[in-house]
Amino acid sequence: MGEPLGQLKVTVVRGKGLVIRDFKSSDPYVIVKLGNQEVFDRDHFKADDKMGHAHVSLQPIVSAARLRQILKVSSGETTLRKVAPDGDNCLVRDSSIACIDGEVVQDVWLRLSDVESGEIQLKIKFIDNSFSGTR
């Protein structure tokens, strides 16, 4: 492998319509894996209950980060591209990738698969190693 392009920071903003796997509620958490995520019900008394899974392509945010470098965008807020729901992702709706004060950020709503219902909102930040102005 060559030099790393940068770092990803993934923040789980919230979940919506998650299935109930315990008596009256669930205590979900997210496991982020490169290329996909899985949500489970963390249970202290028995095995975790599958709460669904989702995937999103990281290629658009990496491409947007390269575009930011080419355009030399480092301050303010600039939309770099939009990503539409398709077979390469579990997007619920269009997602914008923007450069906000030098950071490339994508807000996504993902529909959970293999489960009755559920969506999760993530904020994905690409932190470019070669750009000294990022945090």
PDB file of all heavy atoms in Angstrom, residues 24-45:
ATOM      1  N   LYS A  24     -39.378  -3.556  25.421  1.00  0.00           N
ATOM      2  CA  LYS A  24     -40.028  -2.309  25.010  1.00  0.00           C
ATOM      3  C   LYS A  24     -39.135  -1.381  24.210  1.00  0.00           C
ATOM      4  O   LYS A  24     -39.600  -0.390  23.677  1.00  0.00           O
ATOM      5  CB  LYS A  24     -40.526  -1.544  26.239  1.00  0.00           C
ATOM      6  CG  LYS A  24     -41.693  -2.202  26.925  1.00  0.00           C
ATOM      7  CD  LYS A  24     -42.220  -1.317  28.029  1.00  0.00           C
ATOM      8  CE  LYS A  24     -43.420  -1.958  28.699  1.00  0.00           C
ATOM      9  NZ  LYS A  24     -43.943  -1.141  29.771  1.00  0.00           N
ATOM     10  N   SER A  25     -37.848  -1.658  24.172  1.00  0.00           N
ATOM     11  CA  SER A  25     -36.926  -0.771  23.469  1.00  0.00           C
ATOM     12  C   SER A  25     -35.696  -1.565  23.048  1.00  0.00           C
ATOM     13  O   SER A  25     -35.629  -2.772  23.247  1.00  0.00           O
ATOM     14  CB  SER A  25     -36.514   0.397  24.379  1.00  0.00           C
ATOM     15  OG  SER A  25     -35.746  -0.104  25.467  1.00  0.00           O
ATOM     16  N   SER A  26     -34.745  -0.870  22.498  1.00  0.00           N
ATOM     17  CA  SER A  26     -33.463  -1.461  22.138  1.00  0.00           C
ATOM     18  C   SER A  26     -32.368  -0.481  22.511  1.00  0.00           C
ATOM     19  O   SER A  26     -32.614   0.708  22.677  1.00  0.00           O
ATOM     20  CB  SER A  26     -33.402  -1.749  20.637  1.00  0.00           C
ATOM     21  OG  SER A  26     -34.309  -2.770  20.293  1.00  0.00           O
ATOM     22  N   ASP A  27     -31.175  -0.978  22.640  1.00  0.00           N
ATOM     23  CA  ASP A  27     -30.035  -0.126  22.936  1.00  0.00           C
ATOM     24  C   ASP A  27     -28.988  -0.310  21.830  1.00  0.00           C
ATOM     25  O   ASP A  27     -27.979  -0.964  22.029  1.00  0.00           O
ATOM     26  CB  ASP A  27     -29.461  -0.422  24.331  1.00  0.00           C
ATOM     27  CG  ASP A  27     -29.331  -1.914  24.605  1.00  0.00           C
ATOM     28  OD1 ASP A  27     -29.763  -2.720  23.753  1.00  0.00           O
ATOM     29  OD2 ASP A  27     -28.784  -2.264  25.648  1.00  0.00           O
ATOM     30  N   PRO A  28     -29.277   0.255  20.661  1.00  0.00           N
ATOM     31  CA  PRO A  28     -28.431   0.025  19.492  1.00  0.00           C
ATOM     32  C   PRO A  28     -27.082   0.739  19.576  1.00  0.00           C
ATOM     33  O   PRO A  28     -26.928   1.720  20.296  1.00  0.00           O
ATOM     34  CB  PRO A  28     -29.259   0.588  18.344  1.00  0.00           C
ATOM     35  CG  PRO A  28     -30.085   1.638  18.976  1.00  0.00           C
ATOM     36  CD  PRO A  28     -30.380   1.147  20.366  1.00  0.00           C
ATOM     37  N   TYR A  29     -26.130   0.215  18.838  1.00  0.00           N
ATOM     38  CA  TYR A  29     -24.837   0.862  18.652  1.00  0.00           C
ATOM     39  C   TYR A  29     -24.372   0.565  17.235  1.00  0.00           C
ATOM     40  O   TYR A  29     -24.922  -0.310  16.564  1.00  0.00           O
ATOM     41  CB  TYR A  29     -23.820   0.411  19.704  1.00  0.00           C
ATOM     42  CG  TYR A  29     -23.515  -1.064  19.708  1.00  0.00           C
ATOM     43  CD1 TYR A  29     -22.417  -1.568  19.021  1.00  0.00           C
ATOM     44  CD2 TYR A  29     -24.308  -1.958  20.407  1.00  0.00           C
ATOM     45  CE1 TYR A  29     -22.129  -2.916  19.027  1.00  0.00           C
ATOM     46  CE2 TYR A  29     -24.021  -3.300  20.421  1.00  0.00           C
ATOM     47  CZ  TYR A  29     -22.920  -3.783  19.730  1.00  0.00           C
ATOM     48  OH  TYR A  29     -22.644  -5.113  19.745  1.00  0.00           O
ATOM     49  N   VAL A  30     -23.392   1.295  16.760  1.00  0.00           N
ATOM     50  CA  VAL A  30     -22.920   1.151  15.386  1.00  0.00           C
ATOM     51  C   VAL A  30     -21.501   0.633  15.395  1.00  0.00           C
ATOM     52  O   VAL A  30     -20.663   1.094  16.160  1.00  0.00           O
ATOM     53  CB  VAL A  30     -22.977   2.503  14.633  1.00  0.00           C
ATOM     54  CG1 VAL A  30     -22.359   2.389  13.246  1.00  0.00           C
ATOM     55  CG2 VAL A  30     -24.409   2.995  14.548  1.00  0.00           C
ATOM     56  N   ILE A  31     -21.248  -0.343  14.543  1.00  0.00           N
ATOM     57  CA  ILE A  31     -19.897  -0.820  14.285  1.00  0.00           C
ATOM     58  C   ILE A  31     -19.561  -0.348  12.878  1.00  0.00           C
ATOM     59  O   ILE A  31     -20.246  -0.708  11.924  1.00  0.00           O
ATOM     60  CB  ILE A  31     -19.817  -2.356  14.352  1.00  0.00           C
ATOM     61  CG1 ILE A  31     -20.203  -2.846  15.740  1.00  0.00           C
ATOM     62  CG2 ILE A  31     -18.420  -2.828  13.953  1.00  0.00           C
ATOM     63  CD1 ILE A  31     -20.355  -4.344  15.836  1.00  0.00           C
ATOM     64  N   VAL A  32     -18.545   0.475  12.750  1.00  0.00           N
ATOM     65  CA  VAL A  32     -18.173   0.988  11.436  1.00  0.00           C
ATOM     66  C   VAL A  32     -17.028   0.146  10.907  1.00  0.00           C
ATOM     67  O   VAL A  32     -16.018  -0.042  11.580  1.00  0.00           O
ATOM     68  CB  VAL A  32     -17.734   2.470  11.511  1.00  0.00           C
ATOM     69  CG1 VAL A  32     -17.282   2.967  10.154  1.00  0.00           C
ATOM     70  CG2 VAL A  32     -18.870   3.323  12.049  1.00  0.00           C
ATOM     71  N   LYS A  33     -17.216  -0.391   9.713  1.00  0.00           N
ATOM     72  CA  LYS A  33     -16.182  -1.150   9.033  1.00  0.00           C
ATOM     73  C   LYS A  33     -15.889  -0.440   7.724  1.00  0.00           C
ATOM     74  O   LYS A  33     -16.746   0.245   7.195  1.00  0.00           O
ATOM     75  CB  LYS A  33     -16.660  -2.564   8.734  1.00  0.00           C
ATOM     76  CG  LYS A  33     -16.935  -3.389   9.971  1.00  0.00           C
ATOM     77  CD  LYS A  33     -17.375  -4.776   9.583  1.00  0.00           C
ATOM     78  CE  LYS A  33     -17.674  -5.618  10.789  1.00  0.00           C
ATOM     79  NZ  LYS A  33     -18.110  -6.963  10.409  1.00  0.00           N
ATOM     80  N   LEU A  34     -14.712  -0.588   7.228  1.00  0.00           N
ATOM     81  CA  LEU A  34     -14.374   0.028   5.960  1.00  0.00           C
ATOM     82  C   LEU A  34     -15.305  -0.498   4.891  1.00  0.00           C
ATOM     83  O   LEU A  34     -15.363  -1.694   4.631  1.00  0.00           O
ATOM     84  CB  LEU A  34     -12.921  -0.257   5.589  1.00  0.00           C
ATOM     85  CG  LEU A  34     -12.416   0.443   4.347  1.00  0.00           C
ATOM     86  CD1 LEU A  34     -12.548   1.955   4.487  1.00  0.00           C
ATOM     87  CD2 LEU A  34     -10.960   0.076   4.085  1.00  0.00           C
ATOM     88  N   GLY A  35     -16.098   0.400   4.309  1.00  0.00           N
ATOM     89  CA  GLY A  35     -17.020   0.014   3.259  1.00  0.00           C
ATOM     90  C   GLY A  35     -18.426  -0.314   3.701  1.00  0.00           C
ATOM     91  O   GLY A  35     -19.302  -0.394   2.872  1.00  0.00           O
ATOM     92  N   ASN A  36     -18.675  -0.591   4.990  1.00  0.00           N
ATOM     93  CA  ASN A  36     -20.043  -0.847   5.433  1.00  0.00           C
ATOM     94  C   ASN A  36     -20.163  -0.621   6.929  1.00  0.00           C
ATOM     95  O   ASN A  36     -19.195  -0.380   7.618  1.00  0.00           O
ATOM     96  CB  ASN A  36     -20.509  -2.256   5.047  1.00  0.00           C
ATOM     97  CG  ASN A  36     -19.805  -3.347   5.811  1.00  0.00           C
ATOM     98  OD1 ASN A  36     -19.213  -3.114   6.866  1.00  0.00           O
ATOM     99  ND2 ASN A  36     -19.845  -4.547   5.281  1.00  0.00           N
ATOM    100  N   GLN A  37     -21.384  -0.678   7.407  1.00  0.00           N
ATOM    101  CA  GLN A  37     -21.631  -0.538   8.836  1.00  0.00           C
ATOM    102  C   GLN A  37     -22.655  -1.585   9.216  1.00  0.00           C
ATOM    103  O   GLN A  37     -23.418  -2.016   8.381  1.00  0.00           O
ATOM    104  CB  GLN A  37     -22.237   0.815   9.182  1.00  0.00           C
ATOM    105  CG  GLN A  37     -21.513   1.976   8.621  1.00  0.00           C
ATOM    106  CD  GLN A  37     -22.507   2.925   8.052  1.00  0.00           C
ATOM    107  OE1 GLN A  37     -23.372   3.361   8.748  1.00  0.00           O
ATOM    108  NE2 GLN A  37     -22.385   3.242   6.802  1.00  0.00           N
ATOM    109  N   GLU A  38     -22.670  -1.949  10.470  1.00  0.00           N
ATOM    110  CA  GLU A  38     -23.701  -2.837  10.977  1.00  0.00           C
ATOM    111  C   GLU A  38     -24.202  -2.261  12.293  1.00  0.00           C
ATOM    112  O   GLU A  38     -23.425  -1.729  13.071  1.00  0.00           O
ATOM    113  CB  GLU A  38     -23.145  -4.239  11.209  1.00  0.00           C
ATOM    114  CG  GLU A  38     -22.753  -4.931   9.922  1.00  0.00           C
ATOM    115  CD  GLU A  38     -22.237  -6.324  10.147  1.00  0.00           C
ATOM    116  OE1 GLU A  38     -22.159  -6.763  11.312  1.00  0.00           O
ATOM    117  OE2 GLU A  38     -21.912  -6.968   9.152  1.00  0.00           O
ATOM    118  N   VAL A  39     -25.489  -2.358  12.522  1.00  0.00           N
ATOM    119  CA  VAL A  39     -26.072  -1.879  13.769  1.00  0.00           C
ATOM    120  C   VAL A  39     -26.620  -3.085  14.515  1.00  0.00           C
ATOM    121  O   VAL A  39     -27.358  -3.888  13.966  1.00  0.00           O
ATOM    122  CB  VAL A  39     -27.215  -0.877  13.492  1.00  0.00           C
ATOM    123  CG1 VAL A  39     -27.802  -0.374  14.790  1.00  0.00           C
ATOM    124  CG2 VAL A  39     -26.722   0.271  12.649  1.00  0.00           C
ATOM    125  N   PHE A  40     -26.249  -3.239  15.773  1.00  0.00           N
ATOM    126  CA  PHE A  40     -26.703  -4.344  16.607  1.00  0.00           C
ATOM    127  C   PHE A  40     -27.375  -3.804  17.852  1.00  0.00           C
ATOM    128  O   PHE A  40     -27.135  -2.682  18.258  1.00  0.00           O
ATOM    129  CB  PHE A  40     -25.508  -5.194  17.076  1.00  0.00           C
ATOM    130  CG  PHE A  40     -24.841  -5.973  15.992  1.00  0.00           C
ATOM    131  CD1 PHE A  40     -23.804  -5.416  15.267  1.00  0.00           C
ATOM    132  CD2 PHE A  40     -25.236  -7.259  15.703  1.00  0.00           C
ATOM    133  CE1 PHE A  40     -23.170  -6.130  14.279  1.00  0.00           C
ATOM    134  CE2 PHE A  40     -24.604  -7.990  14.719  1.00  0.00           C
ATOM    135  CZ  PHE A  40     -23.569  -7.423  14.007  1.00  0.00           C
ATOM    136  N   ASP A  41     -28.173  -4.627  18.482  1.00  0.00           N
ATOM    137  CA  ASP A  41     -28.745  -4.313  19.781  1.00  0.00           C
ATOM    138  C   ASP A  41     -27.787  -4.872  20.824  1.00  0.00           C
ATOM    139  O   ASP A  41     -27.605  -6.076  20.915  1.00  0.00           O
ATOM    140  CB  ASP A  41     -30.125  -4.965  19.905  1.00  0.00           C
ATOM    141  CG  ASP A  41     -30.719  -4.777  21.272  1.00  0.00           C
ATOM    142  OD1 ASP A  41     -30.331  -3.844  21.985  1.00  0.00           O
ATOM    143  OD2 ASP A  41     -31.577  -5.579  21.629  1.00  0.00           O
ATOM    144  N   ARG A  42     -27.166  -3.993  21.574  1.00  0.00           N
ATOM    145  CA  ARG A  42     -26.222  -4.423  22.611  1.00  0.00           C
ATOM    146  C   ARG A  42     -27.026  -4.861  23.831  1.00  0.00           C
ATOM    147  O   ARG A  42     -27.763  -4.086  24.408  1.00  0.00           O
ATOM    148  CB  ARG A  42     -25.297  -3.274  22.958  1.00  0.00           C
ATOM    149  CG  ARG A  42     -24.255  -3.656  23.954  1.00  0.00           C
ATOM    150  CD  ARG A  42     -23.376  -2.469  24.239  1.00  0.00           C
ATOM    151  NE  ARG A  42     -22.045  -2.970  24.484  1.00  0.00           N
ATOM    152  CZ  ARG A  42     -20.954  -2.346  24.194  1.00  0.00           C
ATOM    153  NH1 ARG A  42     -20.997  -1.176  23.632  1.00  0.00           N
ATOM    154  NH2 ARG A  42     -19.793  -2.876  24.463  1.00  0.00           N
ATOM    155  N   ASP A  43     -26.864  -6.088  24.206  1.00  0.00           N
ATOM    156  CA  ASP A  43     -27.642  -6.647  25.302  1.00  0.00           C
ATOM    157  C   ASP A  43     -26.691  -7.286  26.305  1.00  0.00           C
ATOM    158  O   ASP A  43     -25.864  -8.107  25.941  1.00  0.00           O
ATOM    159  CB  ASP A  43     -28.622  -7.692  24.753  1.00  0.00           C
ATOM    160  CG  ASP A  43     -29.730  -8.012  25.714  1.00  0.00           C
ATOM    161  OD1 ASP A  43     -29.456  -8.120  26.926  1.00  0.00           O
ATOM    162  OD2 ASP A  43     -30.869  -8.158  25.255  1.00  0.00           O
ATOM    163  N   HIS A  44     -26.818  -6.920  27.576  1.00  0.00           N
ATOM    164  CA  HIS A  44     -25.932  -7.445  28.606  1.00  0.00           C
ATOM    165  C   HIS A  44     -26.353  -8.835  29.089  1.00  0.00           C
ATOM    166  O   HIS A  44     -25.590  -9.492  29.776  1.00  0.00           O
ATOM    167  CB  HIS A  44     -25.884  -6.483  29.800  1.00  0.00           C
ATOM    168  CG  HIS A  44     -25.333  -5.144  29.424  1.00  0.00           C
ATOM    169  ND1 HIS A  44     -24.001  -4.935  29.153  1.00  0.00           N
ATOM    170  CD2 HIS A  44     -25.939  -3.954  29.227  1.00  0.00           C
ATOM    171  CE1 HIS A  44     -23.808  -3.667  28.824  1.00  0.00           C
ATOM    172  NE2 HIS A  44     -24.970  -3.051  28.865  1.00  0.00           N
ATOM    173  N   PHE A  45     -27.568  -9.271  28.762  1.00  0.00           N
ATOM    174  CA  PHE A  45     -28.070 -10.531  29.290  1.00  0.00           C
ATOM    175  C   PHE A  45     -28.093 -11.657  28.268  1.00  0.00           C
ATOM    176  O   PHE A  45     -28.187 -12.807  28.611  1.00  0.00           O
ATOM    177  CB  PHE A  45     -29.483 -10.329  29.853  1.00  0.00           C
ATOM    178  CG  PHE A  45     -29.502  -9.292  30.936  1.00  0.00           C
ATOM    179  CD1 PHE A  45     -30.069  -8.048  30.704  1.00  0.00           C
ATOM    180  CD2 PHE A  45     -28.933  -9.541  32.176  1.00  0.00           C
ATOM    181  CE1 PHE A  45     -30.078  -7.078  31.691  1.00  0.00           C
ATOM    182  CE2 PHE A  45     -28.939  -8.573  33.170  1.00  0.00           C
ATOM    183  CZ  PHE A  45     -29.512  -7.343  32.922  1.00  0.00           C
TER     184      PHE A  45
END
